[in-house]
Amino acid sequence: FFFQAEDGIRDDLVTGVQTCALPISGRGLDAGVGHRRALPDPGGAGPRDRRAPVKALELVAEGQAPDGTPLTLHRKGAEWLIRAGGQDLMSSRAHGSEQEMVRLAGPFPANARVLVGGLGMGFTLRAALDAGPRVVVAELSPDVVEWNQRWLGDQIGRAHV
């Protein structure tokens, strides 16, 4: 993963944090991707390869970024994926960078306010809320906000937006 973090606004009462984690490998949630496992050969000759059942990538919702780029929300089992223009943008599979970013920005004074640029799947928001400050999120896509309210908040165990 490529990790980008920018410290946007900082004074004694406001801290601005932006995070971004993008996959850089070709592996993704494509419906054709499967897992190999060795199973005993029923004839007793030893293990044999067999593809494990693969859950299909389900299109849950479609939207649009402010610049017109198509956004899509997908689910594969318990995993969620947001794509922009057909490219994987973020996944619920890995989100440690968001928690680490908030940890590194803290500890926060009692009257702190944190601005998070971009809601994404809400992992930075959840981590900031857990750290104690008052949090404001700036999200340009109403569709991403709706997806968090409708599906992602409950399914991934985070606060409602």
Side-chain angles (χ1 to χ4, degrees):
F1 277 82
F2 169 78
F3 175 73
Q4 172 189 352
E6 296 175 18
D7 190 6
I9 305 167
R10 187 177 285 275
D11 67 23
D12 60 351
L13 296 177
V14 179
T15 301
V17 176
Q18 176 184 8
T19 62
C20 178
L22 301 174
I24 58 173
S25 72
R27 293 175 32 189
L29 290 174
D30 293 333
V33 175
H35 303 283
R36 289 208 171 277
R37 62 181 166 164
L39 298 176
D41 182 11
R48 62 183 170 87
D49 272 348
R50 186 182 114 182
R51 281 214 180 255
V54 177
K55 294 187 180 205
L57 186 63
E58 172 191 355
L59 176 63
V60 176
E62 296 178 289
Q64 197 171 52
D67 68 355
T69 302
L71 297 174
T72 53
L73 176 66
H74 302 265
R75 179 174 51 199
K76 183 177 182 180
E79 187 175 353
W80 291 87
L81 173 71
I82 294 178
R83 287 184 168 168
Q87 299 296 313
D88 293 0
L89 183 61
M90 62 194 74
S91 167
S92 64
R93 183 185 316 173
H95 48 81
S97 61
E98 289 87 345
Q99 284 116 349
E100 183 65 8
M101 187 66 197
V102 173
R103 187 190 70 75
L104 290 170
F108 299 100
N111 61 348
R113 293 180 293 160
V114 173
L115 172 64
V116 177
L119 176 58
M121 293 188 163
F123 291 111
T124 304
L125 170 60
R126 175 76 270 156
L129 288 171
D130 290 346
R134 181 171 174 207
V135 181
V136 175
V137 176
E139 173 56 59
L140 295 175
S141 172
D143 295 312
V144 171
V145 174
E146 178 189 343
W147 297 346
N148 272 268
Q149 291 170 334
R150 193 163 178 192
W151 294 289
L152 299 175
D154 289 338
Q155 296 300 318
I156 304 175
R158 288 172 288 99
H160 277 283
V161 177

